[in-house]
Amino acid sequence: MLYDLTVIQFTKSLQNLGACLDKAAAFAEAKKIDPEVLLGSRLAPDQFHLLRQIQIACDTAKKGASQLTGKDAPVHEDQERTLADAKARIEKVVVYLQGFSAADFAGASERQVSQPRWAGKYLTGHEFALHHMVPNFFFHATTAYAILRHNGVDLGKKDYLGPMPFKTPAAG
Amino acid sequence: MLYDLTVIQFTKSLQNLGACLDKAAAFAEAKKIDPEVLLGSRLAPDQFHLLRQIQIACDTAKKGASQLTGKDAPVHEDQERTLADAKARIEKVVVYLQGFSAADFAGASERQVSQPRWAGKYLTGHEFALHHMVPNFFFHATTAYAILRHNGVDLGKKDYLGPMPFKTPAAG
């Protein structure tokens, strides 16, 4: 299940976020707005702007997969400037996530996960996923979406959730 | 894991949201604002207001637990008017969630889950949790938080994430 949460769920959600950025680019073009205005927009003066929300969503997914599996993550330097850069950052993380298999997450629930700001303390992988990684990822993905929607980009919750893998009951 | 996601994770997150509403009430009192102004606030004209975000977060958790386990959920009529009402709604759902045990979720991954708007199609419980329930819950919890923060309530991500169950490594 940690593989599913980290790789399947975050891959899909990052791809949905990338599609929202495509809508943002089209919106900026139609309105003749510099797209960097959107990347610098925020919902409160002391909250991170859109670009930083995207970067943290990306890092939460990338570092989560890395920490749960003990595999090194690529370094991404936070040097994006444009919507295309932000989308490329998302795509790099998707490629990284897609390199994992379920087997890589064997033992992940019991693995000790820490972060520099946790001052030597740790969570088990299971606790980390439940209490930090999953809520934190969706916090930043949703805030990115909310900044775009607040600014008038034509988004609905379907853009955030993406398509559902629906099944049809067998006739009987 | 579906028990942990649905009961442990959502219970904690709903309690964190309740604490954010306490901060909202204190903010409204300090600023001499009618708290119902906050409940009616939204980030975009075509997005739901704060009260509706709270109601949907509550229903996503309640109905998710109900559908994954096959147990009936209590009906909550969407008649809240005040911040105290909204907090009481959250607390009712927390009590409902806390009535579940991990054993109630036996077989939940394979259970067929549907919703009226899905026109007869279904997801397995596993797919439902990954593709709909978890992202949808955090969408509405984060949007509720974002509406409050956008309106000036003194919130930080710690209010959203809540305390971490940190462990200290054994001396060695």
Side-chain angles (χ1 to χ4, degrees), chain A residues 43 46 127 149-150 167, chain B residues 43 46 127 149-150 167:
Chain A
L43 295 173
D46 61 346
E127 293 166 339
R149 187 147 177 196
H150 179 64
K167 294 178 172 58
Chain B
L43 294 173
D46 61 345
E127 292 165 342
R149 188 147 175 198
H150 179 65
K167 296 178 172 57

Side-chain angles (χ1 to χ4, degrees), chain A residues 1-2 4-5 8-9 12 42-44 46-48 56 112 118 120-124 126-127 129-132 134-136 138-140 142-143 145-146 149-150 154-155 157 160-161 163-169, chain B residues 1-2 4-5 8-9 12 43-44 46-48 56 112 118 120-124 126-127 129-132 134-136 138-140 142-143 145-146 149-150 154-155 157 160-161 163-170:
Chain A
M1 189 72 175
L2 289 180
D4 295 323
L5 288 171
I8 296 179
Q9 191 171 242
K12 179 182 182 184
R42 58 189 92 219
L43 295 173
D46 61 346
Q47 197 180 29
F48 289 130
I56 300 176
Q112 293 187 12
W118 293 356
K121 295 177 195 153
Y122 71 93
L123 300 174
T124 65
H126 180 84
E127 293 166 339
L130 277 184
H131 291 269
H132 196 280
V134 170
N136 196 55
F138 287 115
F139 180 89
H140 293 287
T142 301
T143 304
Y145 167 98
R149 187 147 177 196
H150 179 64
D154 180 28
L155 295 172
K157 200 168 65 181
Y160 166 84
L161 287 176
M164 295 291 128
F166 287 127
K167 294 178 172 58
T168 305
Chain B
M1 189 71 176
L2 289 180
D4 296 323
L5 287 171
I8 296 180
Q9 193 172 243
K12 180 182 181 183
L43 294 173
D46 61 345
Q47 196 181 31
F48 289 131
I56 301 176
Q112 293 186 11
W118 293 355
K121 296 178 196 152
Y122 71 93
L123 300 175
T124 66
H126 180 84
E127 292 165 342
L130 277 184
H131 291 269
H132 196 280
V134 170
N136 196 54
F138 287 116
F139 180 89
H140 293 287
T142 300
T143 303
Y145 167 98
R149 188 147 175 198
H150 179 65
D154 180 28
L155 296 172
K157 200 168 66 183
Y160 166 84
L161 287 177
M164 295 291 126
F166 286 128
K167 296 178 172 57
T168 306

